[in-house]
Amino acid sequence: MPTTPEYGVDLITFYDPSFWGVNSYDEIMEIRHKNPVQIWTTIFDALSEAGITAIEMTFPPADVSSALDAFGSAEGFKTELQRRGLKLKSSFHMGSGWGPGGDRNAEVAKAVEHATFLAEAGGDTLVVGPPMRKSRDANPPLFIDHAFASAVADTAHAVGNATLRLGVKTALHTEAHSMFCTRRDIDLLLGLTDPEYVFFCPDTAHITLAGGNPIDAVVAHSERVVIAHWKDAVGPMPAGLPIEGEKIHELHQGYMCTLGEGVVDWDRWITLYDKTQGSDVRLLELDAVADPIKEMKAAKAFVENASAQNAASGSSPGQASQAHEKRS
């Protein structure tokens, strides 16, 4: 592990309307269309104040299209990041069409376009959200079986091969209520994909929401972790919730919380993560918080403190777990 890992955030951190002085996401998008430079300047200023140096781009308004509108090119975006002492690490990409019946060539083309921007702007990881499940009472039902996972794996291979040629790794993200969120799901899809081409982006909160333990779910695949979303949760969500539509993502946020206030065992997580390929960047993900500067500072301080305690005690994962229980 580097002596001093960098800290980053996913830019969804800034999507609470109150941070922008408006009342809705649609009004944030109005700002984006009228003045995309304002979106990025506001975010960059907040990152600098919080001591965060790396970013993961995501869906609008802090996405590739708005960066191009604001800075003209990937190189222009990179230049502005460097001027401010920031860097692009990764970007979130929707893989909703990766299942059976999807247009693989089209999916590869979209991923290549996204990864091309990433590479030119200095990033190295395309984080992919896999297809979502359907509600349990859906008719017809959607079974996440070997055939479904194999279709996703085939597309992941095609995309992973194409992005690697650009210097960008494709990493699968564990979105709750997707086909890649439980320990069984993770074992299935990673078991079907070649580790030379397809990598892993675990999300500690989303694995928790799906009823799992992030450490238990990740440890068998830790050699494939190139990035992770560091996020806390109060516990698993109830089974049988309706999944279709955007409401399920809103429900997710109700179960997420400030780092250290949930059930994620951060001592064991730090010990595990610091041995992975992604140990150079700790990506904090704070979904749409009202005061992102305060929350970023608090999250960074919490992780730094936990890391210092681990280092001081020379704790193993088991010993770190005991320390976590004492602090809790």
Side-chain angles (χ1 to χ4, degrees), residues 58-323:
T58 187
F59 55 87
D63 64 340
V64 171
S65 66
S66 68
L68 290 172
D69 285 348
F71 302 104
S73 66
E75 185 61 36
F77 184 63
K78 180 181 180 181
T79 297
E80 181 63 14
L81 286 169
Q82 291 176 334
R83 186 181 73 81
R84 289 172 169 267
L86 303 170
K87 77 172 188 179
L88 174 63
K89 171 63 180 176
S90 51
S91 189
F92 190 81
H93 182 80
M94 291 302 299
S96 54
W98 286 26
D103 185 336
R104 186 165 300 142
N105 290 335
E107 293 298 328
V108 172
K110 287 191 293 185
V112 166
E113 181 180 13
H114 198 158
T116 298
F117 176 93
L118 255 174
E120 292 176 354
D124 63 16
T125 308
L126 188 70
V127 175
V128 178
M132 296 295 288
R133 293 176 179 270
K134 288 186 178 181
S135 301
R136 188 177 290 173
D137 61 355
N139 190 16
L142 175 64
F143 300 121
I144 306 303
D145 54 13
H146 188 278
F148 190 101
S150 292
V152 175
D154 288 345
T155 301
H157 284 142
V159 169
N161 173 59
T163 64
L164 268 182
R165 294 176 186 275
L166 300 168
V168 174
K169 294 177 179 178
T170 292
L172 302 174
H173 174 264
T174 54
E175 181 80 16
H177 297 96
S178 77
M179 56 81 61
F180 187 64
C181 62
T182 67
R183 183 173 177 178
R184 172 266 187 188
D185 295 341
I186 293 166
D187 290 344
L188 176 61
L189 187 53
L190 292 184
L192 288 169
T193 50
D194 188 330
E196 293 294 317
Y197 297 91
V198 181
F199 299 88
F200 187 20
C201 174
D203 183 306
T204 51
H206 280 283
I207 293 173
T208 302
L209 299 184
N213 180 310
I215 293 89
D216 294 342
V218 172
V219 67
H221 309 285
S222 60
E223 75 284 353
R224 295 175 72 170
V225 174
V226 292
I227 194 169
H229 291 173
W230 295 47
K231 187 163 46 180
D232 216 338
V234 297
M237 296 179 70
L241 292 172
I243 295 172
E244 288 83 2
E246 291 299 314
K247 187 170 180 59
I248 190 62
H249 300 290
E250 296 174 9
L251 291 175
H252 288 167
Q253 292 183 11
Y255 286 81
M256 296 171 187
C257 61
T258 299
L259 264 70
E261 295 183 3
V263 300
V264 174
D265 186 337
W266 290 108
D267 296 302
R268 288 184 67 206
W269 175 257
I270 292 167
T271 301
L272 173 64
Y273 188 79
D274 281 354
K275 297 175 182 177
T276 72
Q277 297 180 60
S279 62
D280 58 322
V281 174
R282 295 169 170 179
L283 192 79
L284 313 172
E285 187 176 356
L286 313 165
D287 277 19
V289 290
D291 190 344
I293 296 171
K294 175 183 175 182
E295 292 290 342
M296 287 186 292
K297 287 181 176 179
K300 182 184 176 187
F302 172 80
V303 176
E304 288 177 333
N305 182 59
S307 298
Q309 291 192 38
N310 275 5
S313 65
S315 60
S316 68
Q319 291 170 328
S321 179
Q322 294 173 9

